[in-house]
Amino acid sequence: MTFLKKNFFLLIFLFFWGISKALTISPDSIYWENIVSVNFYHSGSLVSDPMIELNSDDELILEFDILGTNDPYLHYALIHCDHNWQKSELSQMEYLESFAEAAIYDVAYSMNTNQAYVNYSITLPSTEVRPTRSGNYILVIYEDNIDEPVLTRKLYVYESLVS
């Protein structure tokens, strides 16, 4: 009987471990094959780390293209993470000033090109999504469900506490 109990508990553990791994969002991933030309940079410098100072005028810009003429209605959200890039225990109200997510409205269509594409652009922080705490964040781009991301990128928000 103890053999069956051990195997039963092992199966339960593996099942829940698999579920917890499935809910993990990995930073800096592209989930759709038709997404190309992903650039995430500090405004004013195309070659920079995605890092902004909290409560400053710093801005980050994310740009990417989706090949083809299909233009899905995409959204974005910021997720606060711990040092291992896992979702932190903070609720969204504790690390965001406004909404938890927003739609992407800055969309441009290719013209007179051999390959049709749709360009998407986001500026962070925005009036809709603005962090209130320093730390590691994952920017998640998704179509309908945040648990099924299209694209993810990591970013850093820091505070100047020492002069």
Side-chain angles (χ1 to χ4, degrees), residues 3-123:
F3 178 74
L4 289 175
K5 284 183 182 178
K6 286 181 184 178
N7 285 337
F8 176 74
F9 287 117
L10 179 63
L11 285 174
I12 296 288
F13 170 77
L14 290 174
F15 174 75
F16 284 109
W17 181 76
I19 288 176
S20 69
K21 289 295 182 189
L23 296 177
T24 302
I25 295 176
S26 62
D28 292 338
S29 296
I30 298 174
Y31 296 91
W32 285 2
E33 290 180 4
N34 58 341
I35 292 181
V36 296
S37 304
V38 179
N39 293 310
F40 194 29
Y41 56 92
H42 192 277
S43 65
S45 176
L46 290 175
V47 185
S48 62
D49 290 327
M51 183 180 306
I52 57 172
E53 184 176 357
L54 188 65
N55 300 322
S56 72
D57 292 334
D58 290 351
E59 290 181 330
L60 293 175
I61 298 172
L62 173 69
E63 297 175 326
F64 61 94
D65 298 332
I66 297 182
L67 298 178
T69 57
N70 184 20
D71 61 340
Y73 187 63
L74 298 178
H75 301 83
Y76 66 96
L78 276 181
I79 297 175
H80 189 268
C81 297
D82 62 14
H83 67 284
N84 288 323
W85 296 100
Q86 301 300 313
K87 186 175 179 180
S88 71
E89 297 295 321
L90 298 176
S91 72
Q92 291 175 337
M93 292 174 35
E94 292 179 281
Y95 65 85
L96 292 174
E97 181 177 294
S98 49
F99 300 108
E101 54 195 54
I104 302 175
Y105 295 113
D106 192 356
V107 179
Y109 301 91
S110 64
M111 293 175 47
N112 299 326
T113 59
N114 291 332
Q115 172 66 55
Y117 64 90
V118 181
N119 178 266
Y120 289 83
S121 181
I122 302 167
T123 302

